[in-house]
Amino acid sequence: MCSVDTDAALPTRLVDLLTDRLVACLDEGDGPAAARASVVAVRSGPRSWTAGLARGGAAPPPVTARFLVYSITKTLTAAALLRLCGRGLIDPDAPLDRWLPDFAVADRITLAQLLAHRAGLRNYGGSPAYHAAVRAGEEPWSEDGFLERCRAADLFAPPGREFSYSNIGYLLAKRVLERVSGLPFAQALDRELFGPLGLTGWSVPTERGDLCGLWSGPSPYLGGKDGPPADVAALYHPGWVAHGVVAATAEDIAGLFHALFAGGLLPGGLAARMQESFPVPGTMRGRPWVEPGYGLGLMVERDGQAGPYWGHTGGGPGGSACAYHFPARKPGEEPVTVALFTDGEDNDQAEWMTVEAAEILRE
């Protein structure tokens, strides 16, 4: 089933095709992590379309549903910081000891290295202690606790040498954003990104109670290997996302990404700098990526035929989120932005649905 909201409407033919193909993708989902429902928002030039979708004839989410966007928050953090760079408040290529005097190796790393995951920092994704604590419903570690447990000051590689995805790096980037702007994280995002566009369908949850009213599915991850899927709002604490996490509507995130990359919210030179990417080593089996790269807070498809496009995928308990911008490939073609959020923990499924939507709009 489908619930729809449109502004400057897409042609009926495209709306019908998008609805049929995306619902089919939901119907094809398999396994406990597969999504049952989704909200998708698209921008194609000046036109937009937002819809709630569900498989099996179920009632879809409302288009106003807010989801945790998880690692899409990295793109938002990076974009806000780059706007500060554009005003000359911080140099992306200067050592960070001025802004992180409490971090022992800040004089060895730059903001650009943090945002590109090239600062030589570890991550907590492989930590059994982290996952056990999250599943047990424990209170999250403090920021300093995350840094200590990840041995953040003990760089595993010289900064700038290699890519290694690190949520800890974005914890530090969040600190830099707060200190340079003089504002708490949510207020900095509002001033630099959401506020100028008049977007209000978002928040930064910091307590368990902040998850009430957000849209999520039952979480196989929180339920563990032998338990049933768990209720995210009842068990999860958003503080387990060390770098902070945004909750938002798909419509607001699509509008923001479109403004960043097709509307001038980020000055042209900085938008181009954000998109400059290094290759990501290894393969991404089961995902749509052909030649993946990473820029400044952006996952980038570097292959000339499959892409280019850029944005971010996020995933965590009870949901997957994708937001990607597909620039015009030829004269007369409109740039396309797609934000697609699901209630499943299968990030691959969400990515394929996002790419499918973009291809339909550009056929």
Side-chain angles (χ1 to χ4, degrees):
M1 292 184 67
C2 172
S3 64
V4 178
D5 182 41
T6 60
D7 293 321
L10 293 175
T12 301
R13 175 188 65 83
L14 284 180
V15 169
D16 291 344
L17 187 55
L18 280 164
T19 301
D20 291 346
R21 295 268 280 271
L22 294 178
V23 170
C25 289
L26 287 173
D27 288 339
E28 292 164 4
D30 186 38
R36 291 155 293 283
S38 174
V39 175
V40 57
V42 304
R43 296 289 184 274
S44 179
R47 299 174 300 176
S48 65
W49 175 72
T50 307
L53 308 169
R55 70 184 188 187
V63 295
T64 56
R66 298 188 189 190
F67 294 70
L68 291 172
V69 305
Y70 291 109
S71 282
I72 292 174
T73 305
K74 293 181 173 70
T75 304
L76 305 179
T77 300
L81 279 161
L82 287 171
R83 277 177 54 90
L84 299 180
C85 292
R87 297 203 295 275
L89 298 177
I90 182 172
D91 182 347
D93 299 307
L96 284 171
D97 48 322
R98 174 185 175 186
W99 301 106
L100 297 173
D102 46 349
F103 186 54
V105 294
D107 61 338
R108 297 178 55 194
I109 61 178
T110 69
L111 178 61
Q113 289 166 345
L114 280 185
L115 299 182
H117 297 294
R118 300 181 69 83
L121 292 162
R122 294 175 172 82
N123 197 22
Y124 52 76
S127 166
Y130 171 83
H131 295 290
V134 174
R135 289 185 171 116
E138 294 180 10
E139 290 298 297
W141 304 331
S142 66
E143 286 191 357
D144 287 340
F146 273 108
L147 294 172
E148 290 167 8
R149 288 171 181 266
C150 293
R151 297 160 45 211
D154 179 21
L155 303 180
F156 75 87
R161 190 178 76 180
E162 60 186 83
F163 173 88
S164 183
Y165 194 87
S166 176
N167 290 314
I168 294 302
Y170 271 81
L171 182 160
L172 293 171
K174 172 177 172 281
R175 281 190 176 180
V176 174
L177 174 59
E178 291 177 328
R179 292 173 182 181
V180 177
S181 68
L183 296 171
F185 184 53
Q187 291 182 32
L189 293 181
D190 187 48
R191 188 182 73 181
E192 298 301 326
L193 302 177
F194 293 98
L197 301 174
L199 302 176
T200 59
W202 69 284
S203 61
V204 177
T206 58
E207 303 293 340
R208 293 183 194 275
D210 296 338
L211 301 185
C212 293
L214 301 184
W215 196 277
S216 64
S219 172
Y221 165 79
L222 290 178
K225 182 178 179 181
D226 300 317
D231 183 330
V232 174
L235 186 63
Y236 189 58
H237 193 300
W240 284 115
V241 184
H243 55 64
V245 62
V246 166
T249 64
E251 185 173 28
D252 271 14
I253 295 298
L256 176 52
F257 272 56
H258 208 63
L260 281 172
F261 303 117
L265 182 61
L266 196 61
L270 289 171
R273 175 77 187 271
M274 199 176 185
Q275 297 155 30
E276 292 175 5
S277 66
F278 289 93
V280 172
T283 58
M284 295 187 178
R285 292 181 181 175
R287 301 171 69 176
W289 300 94
V290 176
E291 187 182 344
Y294 203 94
L296 301 185
L298 289 176
M299 299 168 64
V300 178
E301 175 55 77
R302 295 162 54 90
D303 180 78
Q305 285 191 308
Y309 59 86
W310 51 82
H312 222 291
T313 299
S320 298
C322 293
Y324 286 92
H325 181 74
F326 302 78
R329 297 169 295 188
K330 58 188 177 182
E333 186 175 75
E334 297 282 6
V336 169
T337 303
V338 180
L340 187 143
F341 303 161
T342 80
D343 66 353
E345 295 176 357
D346 186 344
N347 289 354
D348 301 5
Q349 180 187 30
E351 287 184 342
W352 281 111
M353 290 175 70
T354 300
V355 171
E356 179 82 359
E359 287 304 312
I360 291 170
L361 289 166
R362 303 203 297 175
E363 284 176 350

